[in-house]
C-alpha cells in the first residue's frame, strides 16, 4: 500500500463492474506522534471478492477509536504506520468485484470490519457487506458492528426466556445488549449511574444506580432465582462489580454461586477462582461473530450453517431484520452527526469530560 502522502492512483482493476473511477480518497487516520488527520491517499485496489462503497454514514466507536488515538498520539513520530479509523458504516455500492454475489452498483448496504473505514470511498470484503432493507434507517443501520459485538455476547450467554439478566453499563454496548436480551424474552435490568445514558434505554427498562442502594435493589429484583446472567459492558477495572455481584447470583443449596458473566466490553478483573467464584462461568466475547477476521470467510466462503449458525453476516442480517420488522429501534442512540470534513471536531467532542453523547456519526 502506498503511503497516504502520495497522490498516484491505484490501477483500475479488470475484475470489477463499477459506477465511476475515484483514484484518490480522503480518510480519517491517526498519525503516530501527531494525532488525528484527514489524509489524502490512493483508493485501495479492489479484488474480485470485494465491494467498493460510497459511505452515507459511519459510526465513531468511542472506546476503540479514542484508545487508538490516545496511544498513537503519545507514540514516537514515525514509530507506527498511519492507523485508519472506523469499522461500521452504511453507504451505496459504487463497484462490485466479479466474484461478488447478490450485490449491484447502486444498492444501499451496511458494511463492517476491515475496510469499512471513515473515508470518502471504502473497499470491503463481500461477506461483511449486507443489503439495507427498504425502510430501514441508514443512520441507525450504521451502528451494525456494535450490535454484532453485543449479539455475539448474548449468544455466548445462552440466555433462556424468563431468566434474570443484569447489564452493567449503559454506553453503546450496554444499550445494544439490553435491547437484545429484552428481545430474547429475558427479564432485564441495567446498572449505571449516568442519567443521560439511562434515559436512552427503551421505555420500561428496569434500572438501578451503581451504589449501595442499587445493589440492594438488584438483590431484591432478582429474588427468588438470583441473577442468572450478567453482561459487563464497560471498559476499565470491573473487579469491584464482580465481587459485589456474586452475592446476587443464583445460589445452589450448598451455598455455591452459579451463573454466567459475559464480557463483550474491554473490562479487566482480578479474582480468585475455585471456591471463591464457585460455579460462576466467566466468558470473554471479542468478535462480531464467527467469520469476523477470517479472510477466507469474509471473501465469500461460508461455514456449514448446521455447525456455525450465527456467523457475523447473519448477525448483521438479524439486526436489519429486527429493524425492518419494527422490533428494534436504534435511532434514539444517534445523538450527534458531523459532516465528514468536520471529523476532528467530532473526536474532540467525544474527548470532553462528561460529554452527553452516545452514537456519533460522520455524514458524507
Amino acid at each position: 500500500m502506498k503511503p497516504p502522502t502520495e497522490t498516484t492512483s491505484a490501477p483500475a482493476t479488470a475484475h470489477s463492474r463499477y459506477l465511476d473511477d475515484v483514484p484518490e480518497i480522503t480518510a480519517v487516520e491517526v498519525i503516530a506522534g501527531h494525532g488525528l488527520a484527514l489524509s489524502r491517499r490512493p483508493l485501495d485496489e479492489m479484488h474480485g471478492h470485494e465491494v467498493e462503497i460510497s459511505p452515507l454514514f459511519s459510526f465513531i466507536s468511542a472506546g476503540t477509536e479514542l484508545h487508538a488515538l490516545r496511544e498513537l498520539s503519545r507514540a514516537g513520530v514515525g514509530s507506527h504506520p498511519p492507523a485508519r479509523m472506523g469499522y461500521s458504516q452504511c453507504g451505496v455500492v459504487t463497484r462490485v468485484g466479479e466474484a461478488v454475489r447478490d450485490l449491484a452498483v447502486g444498492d444501499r448496504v451496511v458494511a463492517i470490519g476491515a475496510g469499512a473505514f471513515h473515508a470518502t470511498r471504502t473497499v470491503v470484503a463481500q461477506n461483511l457487506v449486507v443489503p439495507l432493507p427498504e425502510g430501514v434507517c441508514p443512520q441507525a443501520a450504521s451502528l451494525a458492528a456494535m450490535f454484532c459485538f453485543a449479539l455475539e455476547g448474548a449468544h455466548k450467554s445462552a440466555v433462556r426466556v424468563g431468566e434474570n439478566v443484569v447489564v452493567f453499563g449503559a454506553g453503546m454496548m450496554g444499550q445494544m445488549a439490553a435491547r437484545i436480551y429484552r428481545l430474547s424474552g429475558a427479564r432485564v435490568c441495567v446498572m449505571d449511574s449516568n442519567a443521560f445514558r439511562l434515559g436512552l434505554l427503551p421505555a420500561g427498562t428496569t434500572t438501578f444506580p451503581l451504589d449501595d442502594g442499587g445493589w440492594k435493589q438488584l438483590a431484591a429484583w432478582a429474588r427468588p432465582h438470583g441473577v442468572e446472567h450478567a453482561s459487563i459492558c464497560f471498559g476499565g477495572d470491573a473487579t469491584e462489580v464482580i465481587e459485589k455481584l456474586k452475592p446476587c447470583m443464583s445460589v445452589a443449596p450448598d451455598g455455591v454461586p452459579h451463573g454466567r458473566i459475559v464480557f463483550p466490553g474491554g473490562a479487566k478483573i482480578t479474582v480468585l477462582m475455585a471456591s471463591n467464584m464457585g460455579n460462576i462461568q466467566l466468558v470473554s466475547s471479542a468478535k462480531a461473530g464467527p467469520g469476523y477476521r477470517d479472510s477466507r470467510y469474509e471473501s465469500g466462503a461460508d461455514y456449514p450453517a448446521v455447525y456455525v449458525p450465527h456467523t457475523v453476516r447473519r448477525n448483521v442480517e438479524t439486526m436489519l431484520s429486527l429493524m425492518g420488522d419494527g422490533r428494534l429501534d436504534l435511532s434514539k442512540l444517534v445523538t450527534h452527526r458531523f459532516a465528514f470534513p468536520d471529523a476532528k471536531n467530532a473526536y474532540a467532542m467525544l474527548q470532553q469530560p462528561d460529554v452527553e453523547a452516545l452514537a456519533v456519526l460522520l455524514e458524507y
Side-chain angles (χ1 to χ4, degrees), residues 163-164 222-229 245-260 277-280:
E163 290 187 323
N164 292 331
R223 293 190 186 106
H225 306 291
V227 172
E228 292 154 298
H229 299 269
L245 175 61
K246 280 193 304 181
C248 301
M249 298 291 287
S250 298
V251 179
D254 60 2
V256 175
H258 286 246
R260 181 173 293 184
M277 289 300 294
N279 286 324
I280 296 174

Side-chain angles (χ1 to χ4, degrees), residues 130-153:
V130 179
L132 180 71
E134 190 72 26
V136 172
C137 173
Q139 294 98 315
S142 68
L143 310 179
M146 189 61 68
F147 179 89
C148 290
F149 290 129
L151 182 57
E152 178 66 6

Side-chain angles (χ1 to χ4, degrees), residues 1-350:
M1 183 181 293
K2 294 183 176 68
T5 52
E6 297 190 19
T7 58
T8 55
S9 63
T13 173
H15 304 293
S16 63
R17 308 181 294 282
Y18 60 91
L19 182 63
D20 55 10
D21 186 28
V22 179
E24 195 174 65
I25 64 170
T26 303
V28 176
E29 298 184 332
V30 180
I31 311 300
H34 291 289
L36 203 70
L38 289 175
S39 303
R40 295 290 292 173
R41 62 181 307 125
L43 176 66
D44 292 338
E45 182 178 357
M46 198 179 81
H47 302 92
H49 61 271
E50 293 176 322
V51 180
E52 183 186 290
I53 300 168
S54 176
L56 297 171
F57 301 95
S58 60
F59 163 64
I60 298 176
S61 174
T64 301
E65 295 184 47
L66 293 186
H67 174 76
L69 176 58
R70 287 190 294 268
E71 292 299 309
L72 287 176
S73 296
R74 291 195 292 259
V77 175
S79 60
H80 297 77
R84 282 188 275 182
M85 297 287 99
Y87 55 80
S88 190
Q89 64 184 228
C90 183
V92 178
V93 174
T94 52
R95 189 185 315 218
V96 293
E98 64 176 4
V100 172
R101 307 180 299 273
D102 303 323
L103 288 172
V105 170
D107 287 349
R108 284 194 169 197
V109 294
V110 172
I112 70 170
F117 305 117
H118 303 306
T120 51
R121 287 287 172 94
T122 59
V123 175
V124 184
Q126 64 175 325
N127 264 356
L128 298 181
V129 182
V130 179
L132 180 71
E134 190 72 26
V136 172
C137 173
Q139 294 98 315
S142 68
L143 310 179
M146 189 61 68
F147 179 89
C148 290
F149 290 129
L151 182 57
E152 178 66 6
H155 287 322
K156 290 183 177 180
S157 293
V159 170
R160 297 181 179 181
V161 174
E163 290 187 323
N164 292 331
V165 180
V166 56
V167 174
F168 289 94
M172 277 300 297
M173 187 72 76
Q175 295 281 345
M176 296 292 188
R179 286 163 168 80
I180 290 167
Y181 286 121
R182 282 166 60 97
L183 284 167
S184 74
R187 187 166 175 260
V188 183
C189 72
V190 178
M191 292 195 74
D192 199 316
S193 294
N194 186 308
F196 170 75
R197 293 181 173 182
L198 291 173
L200 297 177
L201 289 165
T205 303
T206 299
T207 63
F208 304 123
L210 278 168
D211 57 25
D212 290 343
W215 288 107
K216 291 177 181 177
Q217 289 175 289
L218 174 65
W221 172 85
R223 293 190 186 106
H225 306 291
V227 172
E228 292 154 298
H229 299 269
S231 184
I232 309 298
C233 294
F234 62 86
D237 197 323
T239 301
E240 182 179 0
V241 165
I242 298 301
E243 291 298 331
K244 289 185 175 181
L245 175 61
K246 280 193 304 181
C248 301
M249 298 291 287
S250 298
V251 179
D254 60 2
V256 175
H258 286 246
R260 181 173 293 184
I261 305 175
V262 175
F263 295 80
K268 63 179 180 180
I269 58 172
T270 302
V271 296
L272 179 65
M273 299 302 289
S275 60
N276 179 63
M277 289 300 294
N279 286 324
I280 296 174
Q281 300 176 48
L282 305 178
V283 182
S284 179
S285 183
K287 299 180 78 173
Y292 196 68
R293 306 301 189 195
D294 177 347
S295 60
R296 186 169 178 271
Y297 172 86
E298 292 183 351
S299 298
D302 206 350
Y303 307 131
V306 68
Y307 299 124
V308 189
H310 301 290
T311 61
V312 59
R313 182 180 179 86
R314 185 176 179 184
N315 285 348
V316 177
E317 292 170 342
T318 296
M319 180 196 78
L320 295 175
S321 176
L322 291 168
M323 293 173 72
D325 293 343
R327 289 181 288 165
L328 177 68
D329 182 6
L330 302 179
S331 59
K332 190 177 180 181
L333 302 183
V334 179
T335 59
H336 295 78
R337 299 190 317 193
F338 285 79
F340 177 73
D342 296 328
K344 288 186 177 181
N345 293 333
Y347 284 85
M349 182 198 70
L350 284 169

